[in-house]
Every structure is written in structure tokens, then in C-alpha cells.
Amino acid sequence: MFCFVLKSALLLGATVTGDTLESDKKALLNLKIFLEEHNRVNQGRYSEWNKSQTLSPCAWPGITCSGGRVTGVNLSSSEISGDIFGNFSALTALNHLDLSSNTIGGRFPTDLGQCHGLKVLNLSHNIISGELNLTRLNNLEILDLATNRFSGAIQLTFPAICNKLVVANLSTNNFTGTIVNGFDSCNNLKFLDLSANSFSGNIWPGFVRLQEFSVSENKLVGPISPDFFSEKCGLQVLDLSENSFVGEFPKEISNCGELVILNLWGNNFTGQIPEEIGNISGLQGLYLGNNSFSRDIPESLLGLTNLAFLDLSTNDFRGDIQEIFGKFIQVKFLVLHSNSYTGGINSSGILNLPNISRLDLSFNNFSGPLPVEISQMKSLKFLILAYNEFYGIIPPEYGNLQSLQALDLSFNKLNGSIPSSLGNLTSLLWLMLANNALTGEIPAELGNCGSLLWLNLANNQLSGKIPPELTNIGLNATPTFEQNRRSDRVTAGSGECLAMRRWIPADYPPFSFVYTLLTRKNCRSLWDRLLKGYGIFALCVGGVKTFQMSGYVQLSSNQLSGEVPPDIGKMLKVSMLNLGINGFYGDLPPEIGQMPLAVLNISQNKFSGEIPREIGNIKCMRDLDLSNNNFSGVFPTDLNNLNELSKFNVSFNPYITGVIPATGQLATFEKESFLGDPLLSLSSFINNSADHSPTIHDEKKSKRKLAKRDSILVFLALVVVFLVCGIVTLVVCLTVESPVEMPGYHLGDTNSQHDSISSSSAFSPWISDTVKVIRLDKTAFTHADILKATGSFSDNRIIGRGGSGTVYRGVLPDGREVAVKKLQREGIEGYLSRSMIPVAILGFGLGEAAEGMRELLKVGVRCTEDMPQARPNMKEVLAMLIQISSYQAHSSCGSSSPPSSHFDEGLN
């Protein structure tokens, strides 16, 4: 590592050979060679360092000099990966080293310990691991190691380096142990951030002499003593959030008269909120959420004229919103989510607050129509009412909220159409209306929302076409982002993580890391970056990766239809498009290949024609689902160019032909990605049929499989006995009466709303991945026939609906009719992706009852072999067959109803 080595030149009367600018240049060129060897593709500013004898290294990017020596190296955000360079100590005059925001890994290097002259060391936002030992760096003034993988205790470093230390940021690591006494001798320390670690035990009592102290998201326990807050308290920021502190919070906090931020969120504090907090005149942010404070809010808090952020969420207040909240006229951000409130929105007066910018009332029990009065809150930028019981229409007056940037009404019971007036919201970034009962068409006026990047209308009952004007959303969000960059930054509260989990889909690969690292601190950072338009993941535009901001469009699980407009190619800011589970038909426009998509889901629609080969140009595609459509023609091998593809499904497009390449990205997927495509030619290893020599593990696995199969055969034998009885009964009945058809279903009836054709409880483990096929005539269908029918619903009539799916009337190529049930089940975020596997064929022709039963057993056994993880309960299969057999015999003997009123339940 680069470091300043104290010389003895004055004592020896001579200069040690080699400590010159030329030696610094040589050390930097060695650093360049090291970095280029470890980073052959992406390279940072160091690649511009030149060997030219005439160019001083002081002119190189990232290099700072003083007194004719290299004193600073700044290689932050230079895409450096691999282990850290091991010879920075060759730069003997170095006092500033910044390697932040790279992906440098490996263990903490011992070479850094020789850099005695370092004053600033910034290694934040890397993946460096190991225990921390900086005992020789006693000249450090600023130490930033945030967001790495350091572990162990901190006693090896503190208090050894405390002599001149002013700033220490150790947040978001894996440090453990106690912090008591660790910083007692750090007399110059002003800023200490220990958040998002695993420190345990009691709090360090000396924190009150700092200016900023954060120990949030740790495992600290115990009460906060009143003795901590002496009259010498100099704190400006105190963050104790997300620990396990208990008891009443001391009123002596008022001795910290310079406090700007007080964050107690997420502890076990009880009792009254100290009214003495009202004496801290400069307080701007008060975060008291997720505790057990008393419902009584002190009147003294109204005197905090600078208070901008008030968070009292998750305190189980219940009932009506306290009327005192309607008096906080100075507050800009009011966060009251997760309190089980049932009323008081109007009576509390909060809708009359003149300065409210963010109002978060989500996760409560509010009901009734949405308050029209909200439209008068002209300063409102974020309206978050998700997860309540609101019903009725969305007031058209909400289109008057010209400053609105986020409207989240998801997970309510709203109905009616989306107001066209929302097209007036030109600053809108987020529109979240998912999981309601909205009907009608998507208003074309939404295309006027030039800032709208994140649109989620999933899981409603919307119909009609996608208006071509909708492709204009998000094309110009820059004015909104620039406005947010100019505004004063206020520390985020507690609602960001909850909102972002709704606003950023869990099935969105570029954001998947967010869900594993979604601490409150990260939420604050991501929230701030998103609002200001700074991208947080690489996006492919024209084959080039960029960090520009991108959004998504989610329209899944509605009743939309028509063709996708070719203008879809204009949506150059959309990286996720989900149109799944609708009724779209026609060709998928090739212009879709112009979008910078990471996720494309068009499953369970009626698209036809060829799959556009242009999709193969979307180099950053990670998740592609084309399943359950009517695509035909030759499969485009251009999709093999999608080198980042991690999820792929083209199942149940039975008219696709061609060959799946034996090498490349497509060859990495299993046969489940190609089910129901009988005309596709797959490699043997995709079919899982490649030859291999048996191993001991294989033999054991085979024995277990045979044992399980033997058990199934025993059950099948019992089933045969019951079938014989059923057939005998049928023969007897045939001499008495002629057959009747299955009640509730008439093949020509297009309006039947019965759901007698249902999924068996025996197969319930795979209900979301199956299609149940019921035979309604007297001719036998082969397995191939069923496969052909399941993928073609475009010209078929609906003959029944039920809670679990829709039954279609299908016609095979030879004219035979079949009823096919396409099952549906809602998943996370309404995002559904599944295969349709024919599981059961039930014969209801009188002379073919036994044949139908045998077919059921045969297909059932085959499916248990294909899907061993979801084997049906054979006892339940047996009971179902007995019941069906009884029904056959009963209906054949002249009854028009099944022998039990629970016949449908037996099938369900």
C-alpha cells in the first residue's frame, strides 16, 4: 500500500536513495500493470497513466501531488475487481488513498499497516473481508470502511488509531463484539457510524460528546441511562434505531440542544414520549416508529417549528388518527403506516396540512371511498395509501395534484375506471394501482405522463387494447429528477423499504440484490438515488451498458386484448415488460427488440406468428417467458445470443418447429423450458436422457425409486378392484337406462358458468402447473391430441369459469371436440409463470367408464414419474376414483344428479 515513511534524513545528513517523484512514478506504473492484469475488460482512469518521460505523474488522472511527491491516489468508481494491490507502501509520501466504490476483494492487506503517513483511507463499497488491524496508522483523520465484509471485533484497531481520528465509518459490515470502551481515547472523534453490523451488549456511554453517532441495525440491548445526556452533550444526529433497547426514553435528551435528527425507530421503548423533546428547537427529524409509545402525543412537539419529518408508524395506536396530527402545520413528511387505524382521516385535520409533501397511511384499516379532499393538498409529492380497505372509484380530482411524483393506491378494493385526468400528472414517477378491481380501458391520456417510469396495473379487471399513446411514458423524466436534485435532502424515514418492496418487483433480476440487502440504510440510499434519477444497475441500450435510469410496465393478470402496438419500440426507458395472463393476440411486433429489456413476460396470451428474432438483440435480457401462446414457425436461434439469460420458458407453443442449439445459452435450460412443444428438436441432454455410467448414488436413487413405484402399484391394484366393481355396476345399469351427459356442461353452451370440471384434490400439489382435460364424447383421445389442443384457444369458446380457471371448448384437427381447463392461481406480485401439463383424462361415455379410469391412472402415474417432488396422495386418488365410479353408475341408472351433493367437492 501507498504510505508515507518517516525519514531520518535530518539526523543522517543525507536523503535516503529512491524517495523521489521518479520512484513514485515507478510505483504507480507497477500499480497500473497489476490492475490491468486483473481487469482486462473494464478499466478505469489508471489506464491513462503514461510512461512518457516528459509527463509528470502529477498530471495523471486520480493523482495528487504536493512538494514534488505523490501524496494522493483516488481510484474510486474505477471498476476495479480482484484482490487489493499489495505494495502501496512504495509511495512513501502518500497521505490520501481512495479506492471506494469498486469490487475489490480478498482479505485486508498487511501492507497498509506500513503507511504511517495516511490521513485519509477510504475503502468503502467493496467486498474486502477479514479482521481489521490498523494499529500503526496513528495519523488517520478519516477512516471509511463502509459496506464491505469485515468481521470480528474492533479492539485490534481501536483505540490504537484514535490519536487524530475525526471520522470513522464502519457501517454495513460483519463486525461483532462490544463497543464499550472502544472509543474512550478518541478525543477528536466527531462522526462515528457503526450501523448495520452485529455489535452486541450495551451502548458506549461516551457517544454524547460526538456530533453524529449511529449504531442502528445492531444487537445492542438494555435501557438508555439518563446519566448519558450530560449538559455537555454536543450531538446533532443520534440514530439508535433497530436495536433492542428497552424502557422509557430519558427526558434528559433535552440537554442535547443541538440535535437535528433523533431516530429511535425499531426498539422496545415504552411509556410516554418525553415532552421535553419539544425544547430541542432545531429538531428537524423525529423518528419514533416501531416502538410501544403511548398513544398520547405531547402538545409540546407542536412548538418544534423546524420539524419536517415526523414518523410515528407501527406503534399500534388503532382507532381514529389522533387530532393533534392535524396541528403539525410545519411537517412536510408524515409517516403513520402500520398502526391499524380505522378512521379519522378527515376528523383529524391531516388533509388540511398546508406543507405536506409525503403522506404515508399504508398498512392500516381505512375503508370507504378515497377522500376527495386530498386533491387540495397542493404540496403533495408522495401519496401512499396502499394496503387498506378503500373502495369505490379513484377521484378524478387527483389529477389536480400537479406536484405528485408517486401515487400508490395498490392492494385496496377500488373499482371503476382509471381517471383520464391522471394524465395531467406530468411529474409522476410511480403509479401503483395493482391488486384492485379496476375495470375499463387504460386511458390514452396516461401517455402524457412524460416522467412516468414505474407503472403497475397488475391484478385488476382492465380490458381493451394497449393505447399506442402509452408508449410515450417515461421518455422525459429529467425535469422531475433535476428538481429532486436541487431540493434539500431530508433523512429518509421508515416507509421507504415497505414502498420499495412494492415498487421494485421481486421477480426483477437487476433488483434481486436489493431484496437480500434491503436494510433501512440501503433503502435510504436507494430511495435517494431513484428520486434523483441515478441508475443503480447496468442497462443495455444499443448493445452498450449504461447506468441510466430505467423503469417497468406491469399489466399482467387483467383482461386486456388486441395487438401490441408497434410503437412499443419507443419505450427506451423500460427494462421490464410484463403482459402475462391477458388476451393479447396477433404477432408480437419485432420493434420490441429495440427495448432495453431485462425481463419480458408475455405468457398465457394468444400471440401467434413467429417469435421475433429481434428479441435476440436485447443483450441484457435475463428473464424471458413466451410460454402458453400460439407461436408458430421456426424457432429463432438468435435467442442463443442472450448470454445473460437465466430464466427461459417457451413451453406450450405446440406449433413451433426447428432445432434448439446444442451449445450456447439455450442449451443451459432443462426440458421444463420446452414442454408442450412436440415439433421442437431438443438435444439429448436437454431431455435428460444422456447416457452415463451408474454410480453408487444412482443405484441407491434407483432403488428408492423402485420402492416408491412398488408402493404405487399396490395402490393401483386396489384401485383395479374398485374399478371392476364399478364396471359391473355399469353393466347392470346399462340394461336399465340410457346414459345422461355430465351435469352442468353442454358442449354447445357458451354461457355456462358452472365449475363442475375442477381439479382433483389428489393433484392439488401441482394445481398451478396443470391443465385438466375432460373428455366429453365417446372417442378416445391420445396424449398427443391433448397436447395439440392445450395450446390453441384463440378460436375456442369459453364454456365455463370457476375460481381456479377457465374451461374452453377445443376442436382437434380431425374435428373431435375437447374441453380444456386452463387453471390460474395468483402468485407473488401477480406474476404467474407455469407450464400446462395434461394430467387427467376422465371418460364420461357410458361404455367407456373403465377406459377413462385406466387413462386417468396411466397419466397420473406418468406425471408422478416426471414430477416426483409433487407425487399425489394415492389414497386421495383412490377415493376420487371410487366417487367417480359411483357417479357413473348412478347417472347411468337414470339419475340426473350425482349420488352425493358433494360430487363437485370430490373433484375439487
Side-chain angles (χ1 to χ4, degrees):
M1 302 304 176
F2 300 111
C3 62
F4 178 76
V5 179
L6 295 177
K7 302 300 179 182
S8 56
L10 294 177
L11 296 176
L12 299 175
T15 301
V16 177
T17 303
D19 292 335
T20 64
L21 184 60
E22 189 61 29
S23 66
D24 291 342
K25 181 177 181 179
K26 182 179 180 180
L28 291 175
L29 290 175
N30 288 334
L31 172 59
K32 177 185 178 181
I33 293 173
F34 175 86
L35 294 176
E36 289 180 338
E37 287 178 350
H38 290 77
N39 301 271
R40 296 185 181 275
V41 178
N42 298 315
Q43 297 183 356
R45 290 168 289 177
Y46 56 84
S47 62
E48 302 177 30
W49 296 352
N50 198 313
K51 294 182 179 180
S52 172
Q53 297 293 326
T54 60
L55 185 63
S56 168
C58 298
W60 293 351
I63 302 301
T64 303
C65 293
S66 178
R69 298 294 306 279
V70 172
T71 57
V73 175
N74 184 348
L75 293 177
S76 62
S77 302
S78 294
E79 300 188 85
I80 301 172
S81 60
D83 291 348
I84 197 168
F85 182 57
N87 193 27
F88 281 110
S89 57
L91 289 169
T92 56
L94 190 71
N95 59 42
H96 186 126
L97 177 60
D98 187 347
L99 302 176
S100 62
S101 300
N102 289 289
T103 53
I104 299 172
R107 301 187 69 81
F108 191 74
T110 57
D111 179 70
L112 272 179
Q114 302 176 36
C115 299
H116 306 293
L118 272 180
K119 295 181 179 180
V120 176
L121 176 60
N122 188 349
L123 302 177
S124 63
H125 295 88
N126 282 289
I127 53 174
I128 304 171
S129 59
E131 294 193 5
L132 187 65
N133 188 349
L134 299 174
T135 52
R136 298 182 180 181
L137 302 185
N138 50 18
N139 284 305
L140 272 181
E141 298 175 4
I142 298 175
L143 174 64
D144 191 348
L145 305 176
T147 315
N148 275 283
R149 299 176 180 177
F150 291 110
S151 59
I154 59 174
Q155 278 71 23
L156 287 176
T157 295
F158 299 94
I161 66 170
C162 279
N163 188 34
K164 298 179 180 179
L165 197 64
V166 177
V167 176
N169 187 349
L170 309 181
S171 64
T172 318
N173 280 283
N174 300 314
F175 289 116
T176 56
T178 181
I179 62 173
V180 176
N181 303 324
F183 305 93
D184 286 349
S185 59
C186 298
N187 296 319
N188 296 306
L189 191 62
K190 298 299 180 184
F191 307 90
L192 178 60
D193 190 346
L194 304 175
S195 60
N197 280 287
S198 295
F199 291 117
S200 58
N202 295 321
I203 196 170
W204 171 50
F207 68 86
V208 292
R209 70 169 186 247
L210 305 176
Q211 289 183 22
E212 295 187 12
F213 176 64
S214 175
V215 72
S216 66
E217 298 181 76
N218 277 284
K219 301 177 181 179
L220 301 181
V221 298
I224 302 297
S225 171
D227 297 336
F228 291 165
F229 301 104
S230 65
E231 295 182 359
K232 297 180 180 180
C233 176
L235 282 169
Q236 296 177 8
V237 175
L238 175 60
D239 189 350
L240 306 179
S241 61
E242 291 198 73
N243 282 281
S244 297
F245 296 120
V246 298
E248 295 188 3
F249 192 76
K251 62 183 180 181
E252 286 77 8
I253 185 66
S254 61
N255 290 329
C256 301
E258 298 181 25
L259 263 181
V260 176
I261 302 292
L262 176 59
N263 194 339
L264 307 180
W265 195 92
N267 282 284
N268 298 313
F269 292 118
T270 56
Q272 297 287 330
I273 297 172
E275 64 179 25
E276 288 78 6
I277 293 178
N279 297 328
I280 309 174
S281 59
L283 200 63
Q284 297 180 20
L286 181 58
Y287 308 89
L288 305 178
N290 202 9
N291 282 286
S292 297
F293 285 115
S294 168
R295 177 182 167 85
D296 298 325
I297 312 299
E299 293 275 346
S300 62
L301 300 186
L302 296 174
L304 297 173
T305 56
N306 294 305
L307 189 65
F309 207 123
L310 179 58
D311 182 353
L312 276 161
S313 60
T314 322
N315 270 282
D316 199 28
F317 287 150
R318 298 181 178 273
D320 288 348
I321 296 178
Q322 298 94 314
E323 292 185 5
I324 190 173
F325 287 121
K327 301 177 183 179
F328 281 99
I329 59 174
Q330 73 276 35
V331 169
K332 296 180 180 179
F333 306 89
L334 182 59
V335 180
L336 298 175
H337 67 77
S338 310
N339 268 310
S340 300
Y341 285 127
T342 56
I345 291 184
N346 293 92
S347 60
S348 65
I350 62 174
L351 301 185
N352 297 320
L353 294 175
N355 297 307
I356 286 292
S357 176
R358 187 197 310 176
L359 179 62
D360 189 347
L361 301 178
S362 59
F363 291 93
N364 281 289
N365 295 319
F366 294 116
S367 60
L370 289 170
V372 179
E373 292 81 359
I374 288 177
S375 62
Q376 302 300 317
M377 305 176 74
K378 300 301 183 183
S379 59
L380 201 59
K381 291 184 178 180
F382 299 88
L383 177 59
I384 306 174
L385 303 178
Y387 282 96
N388 279 286
E389 302 291 328
F390 290 114
Y391 56 80
I393 67 169
I394 300 173
E397 292 82 356
Y398 284 10
N400 298 329
L401 296 169
Q402 292 296 314
S403 298
L404 204 63
Q405 295 186 19
L407 177 60
D408 189 351
L409 306 177
S410 56
F411 293 91
N412 279 282
K413 298 179 179 179
L414 302 173
N415 54 35
S417 59
I418 299 173
S420 60
S421 60
L422 297 186
N424 299 330
L425 304 178
T426 55
S427 296
L428 197 65
L429 293 170
W430 282 279
L431 179 57
M432 305 285 116
L433 304 179
N435 293 82
N436 281 285
L438 299 172
T439 57
E441 298 185 358
I442 299 173
E445 289 80 1
L446 286 184
N448 297 328
C449 300
S451 289
L452 183 56
L453 281 171
W454 298 283
L455 173 65
N456 192 345
L457 306 179
N459 296 296
N460 281 286
Q461 299 170 23
L462 300 171
S463 58
K465 301 180 179 180
I466 296 178
E469 295 84 355
L470 191 68
T471 60
N472 294 321
I473 65 172
L475 291 181
N476 187 22
T478 303
T480 303
F481 290 142
E482 289 181 346
Q483 176 189 346
N484 292 335
R485 292 170 189 173
R486 291 192 299 267
S487 62
D488 294 334
R489 184 181 185 277
V490 179
T491 304
S494 65
E496 290 77 18
C497 282
L498 288 174
M500 288 180 66
R501 288 181 187 277
R502 292 193 304 278
W503 298 357
I504 301 177
D507 52 9
Y508 193 11
F511 282 98
S512 59
F513 72 96
V514 174
Y515 283 80
T516 59
L517 300 174
L518 209 55
T519 64
R520 286 184 63 238
K521 187 166 186 174
N522 287 334
C523 286
R524 297 174 188 178
S525 175
L526 290 171
W527 175 275
D528 192 59
R529 289 188 64 85
L530 289 175
L531 290 182
K532 294 179 178 179
Y534 300 125
I536 60 177
F537 67 91
L539 183 72
C540 284
V541 178
V544 179
K545 286 192 175 183
T546 175
F547 275 81
Q548 75 176 35
M549 183 58 68
S550 70
Y552 59 76
V553 174
Q554 290 207 102
L555 304 178
S556 60
S557 297
N558 279 284
Q559 299 170 13
L560 299 169
S561 60
E563 298 188 12
V564 174
D567 288 347
I568 196 80
K570 293 166 47 179
M571 305 186 80
L572 300 180
K573 302 291 186 180
V574 173
S575 55
M576 175 178 181
L577 178 63
N578 191 341
L579 306 180
I581 316 178
N582 279 287
F584 295 112
Y585 56 79
D587 292 349
L588 186 65
E591 289 82 358
I592 202 166
Q594 300 170 17
M595 300 176 67
L597 292 173
V599 177
L600 174 61
N601 185 344
I602 59 170
S603 65
Q604 301 196 47
N605 281 283
K606 301 175 183 178
F607 288 109
S608 58
E610 295 188 352
I611 298 173
R613 59 181 299 179
E614 288 79 3
I615 295 177
N617 297 330
I618 312 176
K619 302 302 183 182
C620 283
M621 181 79 76
R622 301 190 188 184
D623 189 337
L624 177 60
D625 193 340
L626 308 173
S627 64
N628 298 291
N629 281 288
N630 298 320
F631 286 117
S632 60
V634 179
F635 181 86
T637 55
D638 301 71
L639 301 190
N640 215 28
N641 299 329
L642 303 178
N643 295 325
E644 297 189 18
L645 200 63
S646 59
K647 292 182 180 179
F648 175 65
N649 192 353
V650 72
S651 295
F652 296 97
N653 286 279
Y655 308 115
I656 299 177
T657 61
V659 178
I660 299 300
T663 60
Q665 196 70 14
L666 294 177
T668 65
F669 296 99
E670 301 294 338
K671 65 177 182 180
E672 285 76 15
S673 296
F674 308 97
L675 290 172
D677 301 334
L679 304 180
L680 268 184
S681 177
L682 308 180
S683 299
S684 59
F685 55 84
I686 295 181
N687 283 319
N688 293 333
S689 60
D691 293 332
H692 64 280
S693 301
T695 63
I696 296 176
H697 175 75
D698 293 331
E699 292 175 359
K700 290 181 178 179
K701 185 176 181 180
S702 177
K703 291 179 180 179
R704 287 196 300 267
K705 185 174 181 179
L706 289 173
K708 291 182 179 179
R709 183 171 295 181
D710 289 341
S711 300
I712 293 176
L713 291 175
V714 171
F715 278 108
L716 293 181
L718 294 174
V719 171
V720 170
V721 173
F722 284 95
L723 288 179
V724 172
C725 296
I727 294 171
V728 172
T729 306
L730 284 173
V731 173
V732 173
C733 292
L734 281 173
T735 63
V736 180
E737 197 70 53
S738 61
V740 295
E741 63 182 346
M742 181 179 177
Y745 278 93
H746 305 280
L747 205 53
D749 183 5
T750 60
N751 299 314
S752 174
Q753 297 299 310
H754 297 289
D755 194 25
S756 296
I757 300 179
S758 303
S759 54
S760 165
S761 60
F763 298 101
S764 59
W766 353 309
I767 188 170
S768 65
D769 294 310
T770 64
V771 162
K772 185 142 304 186
V773 181
I774 314 299
R775 195 175 65 204
L776 297 182
D777 71 345
K778 297 183 179 181
T779 55
F781 298 144
T782 65
H783 192 68
D785 289 335
I786 302 305
L787 283 175
K788 292 177 182 177
T790 54
S792 180
F793 297 126
S794 59
D795 298 321
N796 301 339
R797 292 182 292 177
I798 295 175
I799 63 172
R801 279 197 182 94
S804 60
T806 304
V807 181
Y808 295 83
R809 170 183 175 273
V811 180
L812 296 177
D814 60 4
R816 289 179 294 170
E817 295 177 317
V818 64
V820 180
K821 183 162 187 181
K822 188 175 181 182
L823 298 179
Q824 297 177 359
R825 187 179 67 178
E826 181 177 320
I828 297 174
E829 296 287 337
Y831 174 55
L832 305 175
S833 176
R834 50 184 165 267
S835 302
M836 295 194 300
I837 306 172
V839 170
I841 305 175
L842 307 184
F844 285 95
L846 289 181
E848 300 173 328
E851 180 184 342
M853 301 304 166
R854 286 195 298 272
E855 194 67 31
L856 169 63
L857 292 175
K858 183 168 61 178
V859 179
V861 170
R862 179 168 60 250
C863 289
T864 60
E865 292 174 354
D866 291 345
M867 303 176 65
Q869 73 278 15
R871 295 182 184 277
N873 185 318
M874 293 306 295
K875 291 183 179 180
E876 292 183 6
V877 173
L878 183 61
M880 180 185 68
L881 291 175
I882 294 171
Q883 197 164 23
I884 294 174
S885 181
S886 300
Y887 168 69
Q888 289 288 347
H890 189 74
S891 63
S892 299
C893 290
S895 174
S896 61
S897 61
S900 167
S901 61
H902 300 293
F903 175 72
D904 284 347
E905 296 178 11
L907 287 179
N908 287 328

